């Protein structure tokens, strides 16, 4: 019966099949393994349960078990295999599916990777390593391929994975659609490989997330070609290496990488042509000039003729159509791919809004006459922000600066507009690249996600994902992993390959998955790849083993013994202390310190922390610090209090704004400004329109709230001249410029901290204590916001529910006594949740 005839049989209900037709369908299942489509599996499974449940379907234990495993992997209802009275063939197969010898993990049990392993000189490339090691292969035009090995610590891993995915999507958004549909990049657990194409000419950039403030800095002049995108990724890795020492970057020549891959292929072909010989390529001499050899990701090459060049299997892409997998993919794309695009779009919109505001301000100033400028604009402008050119971010200044108004509008504003226009164009291009990659017919984002989860399922590891994605992945792995393990065992037995020669601690599974398009059906290929370190790995080419065998130190790793041997940590530490006292011993000390860490990592780290830990202050010192803090709070009261009040008013928290102003401690001239701001707050609290407030206040017209009139009286008592001048110019200047003038020349922390001779507090000490306390509070508030954010559900949550969970953290950050660095992210998050931008009274852009 031809294939099309079998397809016609599958269209009919199973109970209508003849015995001959059923045998043809069974043979189709045997021939299709392991790439059996869901339609064939579900129909044959239904036939077994309905027509012959009391006897084996195939008469062959392997095929019967394979059908049970495929049915479960494709989301069909399969018995759990619990031990009980049921002894039917289906129940027996379900119980066999729980046997680890046939359907259990293929990889050796993972070891706990501690500091001894991370610092061991015998291994450089290890998948579970807590250190990230990157090999950048490039040519004269720039990087071509980046290989990152190791899981790293969580904070660094999140940045690297997000940047790698952004780079992958950018490259695939730039590439020629006719050049190929398969995505060659892999973003897995412990291994990331990203390659560059040769297409695209637009400028490039990366973006920080508005949700977790993860930033990728982009060098000036970077282009949005694929090489430029890869160069940005390398820049992040180098930055992390410089800042943390938990990332190591090694440059290698791309031609050397190609030559080594060709050499391995030649070695496998030679072994296949000389089956009576075994060829060994040992590690290079560690003391030789090539001790820093490259690390490469290579496929398992066949050393037997007639079976193809590499080891690999084709599976059914229907594995990615089950409800369980779709829930993984949706959660993954929502957290990563869709969030990247949303971040880029938000950044673009924010830049365009800032350009529009700056342009309007510049045009208004340019059109105004000298007299109008003198009346409507103050002589100086208070700079509270600056635009950071390398990152394209608006950064709040620690200490505001004053600049002459003429200079600000003639020099600063045009420069700010130009820089923001450049970044807005870049952000627009990035949005286009990401959306192109996500929505292309061959779906690069889906391909990368499928490869990530297939690799993790086969290796029996869990990718670091959001809680919702992890839960969905665990459920899907439980369904699909036994089938994958079983089919790989069967395939390796057929080709006489030992599983231990392929599935090692340095093996990953690279998928080639192509989703269905209008013209072509979906396909899924899975190939095992191995890490090869030219300075550490031994490569054996033997025709009898049928595959190129790679061995390195991770194959022989064992758990660290519980009983410590050798010198104690204290002995090693004492020796380091003596060595540190010797002159010109820096190089020797570095070697000895690293060796001590390898020998006793926990003990040496603990003693190092103890040596660096500052001692607790004495009671007298604590009192002195408290006195300096109280002095600083008194001196900075007016500036900080008015800042907080303005922020509260912007967010329509009028009661909070009033409380901030009530607590001010200041000299009468500054209290006048606080009372004038209080008048504005009371007008806004009474729901007066912003455009009406300047006229009502300036002319003290009927309709003003009584509390606002009282605030004006208090302001006049504190500083009559400033109050009169401010009210006269307010109707023409407008509310925004009027508020700016209230902050003009306001004492700030550095100028206000003048010390307190009576309590023996110097100005420098007062300012240092204030800065330290502010830094501590900012760190606490950022952590509090992060913890509150974890309470948000993965799905789209109602605005009022989200604000209820985040409200306390947001309030402290926005209007707390130590507002500072976390406020920008909090404002952006508030805007995203509420869907609207609050009023920007008195906001002045930076230089």
């Amino acid at each position: 019966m031809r294939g099309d005839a079998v397809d016609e049989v599958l269209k009919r209900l199973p109970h209508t099949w003849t015995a001959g037709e059923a045998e043809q369908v069974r043979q189709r299942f045997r021939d299709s393994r392991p790439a059996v489509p869901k339609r064939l599996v579900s129909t044959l499974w239904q036939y077994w349960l309905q027509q012959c449940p009391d006897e084996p379907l195939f008469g062959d234990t392997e095929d019967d078990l394979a059908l049970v495993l495929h049915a479960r992997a494709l989301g069909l209802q399969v018995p759990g295999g619990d031990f009980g009275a049921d002894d039917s063939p289906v129940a027996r197969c379900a119980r066999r599916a729980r046997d680890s010898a046939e359907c259990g993990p293929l990889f050796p049990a993972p070891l706990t990777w501690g500091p001894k392993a991370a610092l061991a000189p015998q291994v450089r490339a290890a998948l579970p390593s807590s250190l990230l090691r990157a090999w950048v292969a490039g040519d004269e035009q720039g990087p071509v391929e980046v290989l990152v090995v190791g899981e790293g610590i969580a904070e660094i891993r999140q940045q690297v994975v997000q940047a790698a995915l952004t780079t992958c999507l950018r490259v695939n958004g730039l590439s020629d659609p006719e050049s190929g549909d398969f995505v060659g990049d892999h973003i897995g657990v412990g291994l990331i490989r990203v390659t560059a194409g040769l297409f695209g000419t637009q400028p490039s950039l990366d973006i920080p997330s508005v949700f977790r403030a993860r930033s990728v800095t982009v060098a000036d002049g970077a282009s949005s070609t694929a090489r430029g995108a890869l160069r940005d990724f390398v820049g992040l890795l180098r930055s992390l290496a410089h800042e943390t020492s938990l990332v190591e970057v090694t440059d290698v020549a791309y031609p050397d990488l190609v030559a080594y891959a060709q050499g391995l292929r030649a070695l496998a072909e030679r072994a296949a042509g000389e089956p009576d010989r075994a060829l060994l390529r040992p590690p290079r001499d560690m003391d030789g000039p090539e001790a820093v050899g490259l690390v490469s990701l290579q496929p398992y090459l066949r050393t037997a003729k007639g079976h193809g060049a590499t080891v690999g299997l084709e599976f059914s892409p229907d594995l990615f159509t089950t409800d369980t997998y779709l829930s993984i993919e949706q959660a993954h794309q929502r957290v990563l791919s869709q969030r990247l695009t949303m971040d880029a779009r938000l950044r673009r919109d924010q830049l365009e809004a800032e350009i529009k505001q700056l342009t309007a301000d510049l045009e208004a100033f340019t059109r105004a006459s000298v007299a109008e400028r003198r009346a409507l604009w103050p002589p100086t402008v208070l700079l509270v922000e600056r635009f950071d050119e390398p990152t394209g971010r608006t950064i709040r200044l620690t200490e505001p600066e004053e600049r002459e108004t003429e200079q600000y509008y003639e020099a600063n504003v045009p420069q700010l507009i130009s820089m923001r226009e450049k970044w807005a164009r870049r952000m627009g291009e990035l949005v286009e690249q990401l959306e192109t990659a996500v929505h292309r017919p061959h779906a690069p984002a889906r391909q990368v996600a499928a490869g990530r989860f297939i690799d993790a399922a086969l290796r029996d590891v869990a990718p670091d994902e959001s809680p919702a994605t992890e839960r969905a992945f665990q459920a899907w792995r439980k369904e699909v992993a036994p089938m994958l393990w079983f089919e790989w065992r069967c395939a390796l037995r057929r080709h006489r390959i030992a599983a231990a020669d392929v599935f090692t601690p340095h093996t990953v599974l690279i998928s080639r998955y192509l989703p269905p398009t209008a013209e072509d059906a979906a396909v899924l290929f899975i190939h095992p790849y191995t890490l090869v370190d030219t300075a550490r790995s031994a490569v054996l080419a033997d025709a009898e083993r049928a595959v190129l065998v790679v061995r390195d130190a991770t194959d022989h790793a064992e758990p660290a013994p519980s009983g410590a041997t050798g010198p104690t940590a204290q002995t090693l530490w004492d020796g380091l202390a003596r060595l540190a006292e010797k002159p010109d011993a820096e190089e020797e000390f570095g070697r000895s310190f690293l060796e001590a860490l390898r020998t006793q990592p926990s003990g040496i780290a603990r003693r190092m922390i103890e040596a660096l830990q500052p001692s607790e202050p004495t009671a007298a010192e604590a009192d002195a610090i408290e006195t300096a803090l109280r002095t600083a709070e008194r001196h900075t009261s007016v500036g900080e209090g008015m800042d907080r009040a303005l922020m509260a008013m912007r967010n329509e928290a009028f009661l909070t704004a009033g409380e901030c102003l009530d607590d001010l401690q200041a000299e009468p001239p500054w209290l006048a400004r606080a009372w004038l701001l209080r008048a504005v707050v009371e007008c806004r609290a009474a729901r007066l329109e912003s455009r009406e407030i300047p006229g009502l206040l300036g002319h003290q017209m009927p309709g003003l709230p009584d509390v606002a009139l009282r605030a004006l009286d208090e302001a006049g008592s504190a500083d009559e001249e400033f109050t009169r001048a401010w009210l006269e110019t307010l109707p023409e200047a407008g509310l925004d410029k009027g508020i700016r003038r209230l902050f003009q020349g306001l004492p700030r922390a550095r100028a206000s901290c003048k010390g307190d001779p009576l309590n023996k507090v110097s100005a420098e000490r007062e300012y240092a204590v204030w800065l330290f306390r502010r830094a501590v509070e900012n760190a606490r508030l950022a952590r509090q916001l992060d913890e509150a954010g974890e309470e948000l559900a993965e799905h789209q949550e109602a605005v009022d529910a989200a604000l209820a969970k985040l409200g306390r953290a947001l309030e402290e950050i926005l209007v707390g006594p130590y507002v500072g660095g976390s406020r920008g992210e909090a404002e952006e998050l508030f805007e995203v949740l509420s869907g609207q931008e609050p009023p920007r009274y008195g906001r002045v852009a930076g230089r």
Side-chain angles (χ1 to χ4, degrees), residues 380-420:
T380 59
V381 172
L382 184 68
L383 303 182
V384 297
E385 297 172 342
R386 70 177 177 86
F387 188 78
D388 188 61
E389 173 66 8
T391 61
R393 298 280 292 176
T394 300
I395 298 177
R396 187 173 181 82
L397 298 175
T398 304
E399 283 299 313
E401 301 175 5
E402 280 192 288
R403 188 69 51 86
E404 291 185 2
T405 303
E406 292 282 346
Q407 180 187 5
Y408 173 72
Y409 281 102
E410 290 178 2
N412 292 58
V413 174
Q415 183 183 9
L416 282 171
I417 294 174
S418 175
M419 289 189 295
R420 282 172 167 81

